[in-house]
Amino acid sequence: MKHGRILAIVAILPALLLLTCGQPESTASTKAVLEHHLQSVGAGNLDEVMADYAADAVLYTPSGPLSGTTAIRGFFAALPEILPPGFWENFKMVRQDVEGEIAYIVWSSPPAAPLGTDTFIIRNGRIVTQTFAAYMVPTSSD
């Protein structure tokens, strides 16, 4: 009888491994990565921002996709020169939704950016895909 139970457990083990290993990211884990990412971006801590991305991550922007951490790092490194004065002081999170491995945020930073949105796919504790779009009010120098 003992051998029958052991065989049954051994027979079930591969199915259990498939079920648990292939599970999508938990909502709590996705929230944790998103919170770290938002804090790091707001603080301007480029190394911590980049720690959130998988090596082969892709960031989709209105100017086209940026593939890999070198290209994504360049995007974030350029932000301080691109964003208008007062951007971070006026930044407001409008909505934040997280379900499984997907995170979606809507934000604003009036008057420069009345609407912005990002979507993240987070797997194994890293951002693998992000989309970004924002309506930026043209300035007199644009």
Side-chain angles (χ1 to χ4, degrees):
M1 197 67 171
K2 242 183 183 180
H3 294 296
R5 286 187 194 143
I6 291 172
L7 287 175
I9 291 171
V10 170
I12 293 173
L13 191 57
L16 290 174
L17 287 173
L18 282 174
L19 286 173
T20 56
C21 291
Q23 289 298 309
E25 198 78 8
S26 74
T27 298
S29 175
T30 299
K31 281 182 183 178
V33 173
L34 178 64
E35 291 208 7
H36 178 264
H37 185 68
L38 295 175
Q39 288 172 354
S40 300
V41 170
N45 188 332
L46 187 55
D47 289 334
E48 287 297 311
V49 169
M50 296 313 302
D52 294 325
Y53 286 93
D56 59 350
V58 179
L59 168 59
Y60 293 90
T61 75
S63 300
L66 302 171
S67 297
T69 53
T70 300
I72 294 170
R73 178 179 280 275
F75 174 84
F76 283 103
L79 281 183
E81 301 300 319
I82 296 169
L83 296 176
F87 182 88
W88 292 115
E89 292 79 11
N90 296 324
F91 183 89
K92 292 178 181 57
M93 186 66 66
V94 175
R95 122 173 250 121
Q96 182 175 318
D97 299 303
V98 178
E99 184 65 41
E101 66 182 12
I102 308 294
Y104 173 71
I105 62 172
V106 178
W107 51 268
S108 67
S109 181
L115 176 64
T117 181
D118 291 82
T119 302
F120 303 85
I121 299 175
I122 298 170
R123 290 192 184 122
N124 300 317
R126 297 284 183 262
I127 299 167
V128 295
T129 306
Q130 178 182 354
T131 67
F132 156 77
Y135 172 68
M136 301 295 286
V137 176
T139 62
S140 58
S141 62
D142 288 341

